[in-house]
Amino acid sequence: MNIPYAIPECRVAHLVERHHDHLVVPVRLDAATGCCPECGHASRSVHSRYHRQPADLPLSTSQTKLRIEVRRFYCLNPTCRRRIFAKTPTDLLAPHARRTRRLGEAQARVGLACGGAGGARLLAHLHMPASRATVLRLVTRMPMPDTPAPIRVGIDDWAIRKGSRYGTIVVDLDRHRVVDLLPDRTAPTVAGWLERHSSVALVAWDRSTEYARGASLGAPQAQQVADRWHLLTNMRQAVERWLHGAHARLRSLPLLPGSTVRPARRNRAFARSTTELEAAAQSRMRWQVVYDEVRHRHAAGKPLLAIARALGLARATVRKYASAETFPARLPHGAGPSLLDPHVAYLAGRIDEGSENAMALWREIREQGYPGTSRQVHRFVAERRTRPVRSGRKPRSAKASASEPPGSETLLPPARQLAWLLVQPTSVLNESEAAVVSRVEQDDTARAVTGLARRFTALVRAAGKGNPVADDRDAAADIEAWITKARTCEAPAIATFASGLEADIAAVRAALMEPWSSGQAEGQVNRLKLIKRQCYGRAGLNLLKRRMVLAA
């Protein structure tokens, strides 16, 4: 019986034997002679024979084993110290191996794609069974590929354990392949890797100070390129930091003539219960105490990092509180999606007709397809009730209006949403968004911040769309003029952002001139997260590196 694939250095000796759970293929070596591994002399004198039964690639839907007849030869060289040696198919089998090389490679490739436990489950269906430990062992034994020396690389951080430990991923931007995973994101580690790869001529990074220092130490000859997406993000974050401190002042600005106060649709959440309001008030008091403590320590000259460590707060929270002129209270919630929204107009009409029985209204809209409970209907009716209920309680509308914060009808969006509006070109804003921006721009500082943010965003986006500035001198002039103007801005966050750009001016210029960025590294980090989840968080750096590099 012929088998549908070749067996290196061997030929089929007899018919294939079928067992209840596998097939056995008897084979013999083609060579009639063997060479002594010590002296290299050939011999035809057979001493004895024995059999090896390694597992091989499956035939059809059956596991397959080879029964290889191995011959022992006499070494006829009188000066050789070895008397007997065995002739084995080295291309097919490793010494003492229980599986052929090609089967081990196939199982390792499955392990690269699926991991240990997942690979073991898939291999059982493919009739190449192996335990998850064996699959991972085969993966770790695979040799790393010989790749060309990288010329342009992108580096980014990734979470080994989020919030605790971080590593660095290095991507070859020309080949779109992961080159290496580093155990941390410190400057000495990055510098050491770059020193070992002297061919690197360009490094794209995400404006991390550690990566900038590491690139300068390890590859001073390489051009550094700041990532354009991170430049835009840092600009928006600077605007947001300034808004956290100025939001209270901006909320007091008057509405422009012709601006609509309330949109036609529901613009705030349903009324909250008394228990929820009390819990919110207590939470506000606790954070008010924290805010006062941060402001007191910051006024005393304590560093932000020291305040964060002493109070157990995130550094971003400390920075926000330190720059805020008043307590940055959480704004009232806007109108989120609700099952009741399609029936709001009907309910408002029925209430205007005098029907204030919440259960009756709930039954009516339930017949119209409302799938929810009566709780939201009770809240909706309670806000608009004009007559006392039978229990004698007062209408809730008066209480709700009294608890509403003053000026709630003219509230601005939160700082994060407002920062996004201020950095956008006016051409992409709709009517209501443009009205909000126009109202904010009544403030002189806000008008200056908005102008600077839009100008910087236009510069970076023009380069990102493949329309870089004409030459190096124009790029340098534009960005340096922007930095000079931004450093005199009355908003401290914008001035600080401009100072940071000035420190990385060469990388920022390159971001406007070069097509390279660290976007590829961001995409590879997403793939790395998937592999980590497949490994259930138990994969070490060596296994992650092999799965990222070998499976690319």
Side-chain angles (χ1 to χ4, degrees):
M1 175 181 177
N2 294 328
I3 58 176
Y5 59 83
I7 303 176
E9 305 179 58
C10 299
R11 66 179 185 275
V12 179
H14 304 289
L15 294 178
V16 175
E17 302 173 7
R18 181 179 295 276
H19 295 259
H20 70 282
D21 59 345
H22 65 279
L23 300 178
V24 176
V25 182
V27 296
R28 290 179 179 175
L29 272 67
D30 290 330
T33 62
C35 293
C36 177
E38 290 285 341
C39 62
H41 279 66
S43 174
R44 299 177 62 91
S45 180
V46 178
H47 172 271
S48 59
R49 293 175 174 84
Y50 70 95
H51 291 89
R52 295 179 63 178
Q53 294 193 15
D56 196 16
L57 294 174
L59 277 173
S60 183
T61 58
S62 300
Q63 300 177 30
T64 303
K65 291 184 178 181
L66 302 180
R67 182 186 296 143
I68 304 175
E69 183 183 88
V70 181
R71 288 171 292 181
R72 290 191 180 97
F73 292 91
Y74 289 104
C75 181
L76 303 180
N77 183 6
T79 62
C80 181
R81 62 178 182 178
R82 182 184 289 269
R83 298 290 87 194
I84 300 172
F85 63 89
K87 172 63 177 178
T88 58
T90 55
D91 293 342
L92 182 66
L93 277 174
H96 313 292
R98 301 298 300 272
R99 60 175 54 82
T100 59
R101 295 184 188 272
R102 57 191 183 185
L103 175 61
E105 182 179 358
Q107 292 172 333
R109 289 293 174 184
V110 172
L112 283 178
C114 303
R121 290 193 296 267
L122 179 58
L123 287 170
H125 291 285
L126 297 178
H127 307 287
M128 298 184 289
S131 67
R132 59 183 181 180
T134 298
V135 172
L136 294 180
R137 186 166 58 250
L138 292 172
V139 171
T140 55
R141 288 178 179 175
M142 293 183 69
M144 298 296 285
D146 293 329
T147 57
I151 300 176
R152 302 175 184 88
V153 298
I155 56 178
D156 196 10
D157 60 343
W158 59 281
I160 299 176
R161 184 175 182 181
K162 191 171 182 179
S164 177
R165 293 178 56 208
Y166 288 84
T168 299
I169 187 170
V170 185
V171 179
D172 189 334
L173 299 181
D174 293 299
R175 299 174 58 247
H176 302 267
R177 299 290 182 89
V178 176
V179 178
D180 205 349
L181 296 181
L182 307 182
D184 56 52
R185 55 180 178 181
T186 61
T189 300
V190 175
W193 188 92
L194 291 172
E195 288 174 356
R196 295 191 299 271
H197 298 78
S198 58
S199 61
V200 174
L202 183 144
V203 180
W205 45 272
D206 59 356
R207 299 204 66 236
S208 166
T209 55
E210 284 292 301
Y211 288 156
R213 191 160 61 92
S216 300
L217 294 174
Q221 79 287 352
Q223 181 183 20
Q224 298 186 34
V225 180
D227 184 65
R228 290 183 292 273
W229 183 88
H230 284 89
L231 288 173
L232 294 174
T233 300
N234 296 152
M235 179 74 257
R236 182 191 58 78
Q237 290 171 342
V239 175
E240 183 180 341
R241 285 197 299 271
W242 172 74
L243 284 173
H244 280 303
H247 203 275
R249 185 178 77 251
L250 298 178
R251 286 202 304 269
S252 63
L253 293 172
L255 288 172
L256 294 175
S259 300
T260 56
V261 175
R262 286 186 182 271
R265 64 183 295 274
R266 183 172 58 89
N267 73 326
R268 62 186 177 86
F270 292 111
R272 303 172 70 183
S273 65
T274 304
T275 304
E276 293 171 334
L277 292 175
E278 291 176 354
Q282 294 176 2
S283 175
R284 177 190 171 96
M285 291 176 59
R286 289 194 300 269
W287 283 108
Q288 178 75 52
V289 172
V290 174
Y291 167 78
D292 294 337
E293 183 65 21
V294 169
R295 294 283 293 182
H296 174 71
R297 297 193 181 205
H298 182 64
K302 295 292 185 62
L304 297 182
L305 184 58
I307 299 175
R309 289 174 175 171
L311 300 181
L313 299 173
R315 188 163 48 179
T317 303
V318 174
R319 185 187 297 112
K320 179 177 70 173
Y321 283 178
S323 60
E325 299 172 1
T326 59
F327 175 62
R330 184 178 300 173
L331 299 178
H333 292 289
S338 172
L339 296 175
L340 197 61
D341 286 341
H343 309 278
V344 165
Y346 176 81
L347 291 174
R350 293 286 289 125
I351 292 175
D352 291 341
E353 295 173 0
S355 177
E356 296 184 357
N357 188 322
M359 289 300 296
L361 293 175
W362 171 65
R363 295 187 188 97
E364 292 177 13
I365 63 173
R366 187 177 59 177
E367 294 178 357
Q368 299 176 8
Y370 174 64
T373 64
S374 62
R375 181 178 181 182
Q376 294 292 7
V377 181
H378 277 284
R379 289 185 171 186
F380 184 85
V381 174
E383 289 180 330
R384 293 157 178 80
R385 191 178 299 281
T386 59
R387 300 188 305 272
V389 295
R390 291 183 180 180
S391 62
R393 290 179 297 180
K394 295 181 180 180
R396 188 171 177 178
S397 56
K399 181 178 179 181
S401 61
S403 62
E404 242 179 53
S408 62
E409 296 183 350
T410 60
L411 282 175
L412 288 175
R416 177 173 295 183
Q417 298 178 15
L418 186 55
W420 177 256
L421 296 180
L422 295 184
V423 301
Q424 296 297 313
T426 55
S427 58
V428 303
L429 301 178
N430 58 35
E431 184 178 354
S432 61
E433 293 171 344
V436 170
V437 173
S438 299
R439 177 190 170 194
V440 170
E441 287 182 338
Q442 295 178 92
D443 183 84
D444 293 337
T445 305
R447 185 165 56 252
V449 169
T450 303
L452 289 169
R454 288 174 180 165
R455 176 57 181 159
F456 183 83
T457 302
L459 279 174
V460 177
R461 285 182 174 173
K465 292 179 180 178
N467 302 317
V469 185
D471 54 38
D472 289 346
R473 289 175 297 178
D474 291 342
D478 283 347
I479 195 62
E480 288 176 3
W482 188 93
I483 291 174
T484 301
K485 187 175 181 180
R487 291 194 65 180
T488 61
C489 181
E490 295 182 3
I494 305 300
T496 302
F497 173 67
S499 300
L501 291 182
E502 189 174 28
D504 299 330
I505 186 62
V508 175
R509 288 178 191 161
L512 303 181
M513 300 297 301
E514 299 288 341
W516 307 103
S517 70
S518 61
Q520 290 188 41
E522 298 282 354
Q524 295 291 353
V525 168
N526 287 337
R527 190 163 69 92
L528 179 58
K529 291 178 181 178
L530 173 63
I531 293 176
K532 281 185 60 185
R533 287 173 174 83
Q534 286 180 339
C535 298
Y536 304 104
R538 299 189 181 95
L541 184 64
N542 182 41
L543 179 59
L544 285 175
K545 182 189 302 184
R546 288 179 175 276
R547 291 194 62 183
M548 287 294 293
V549 175
L550 293 173

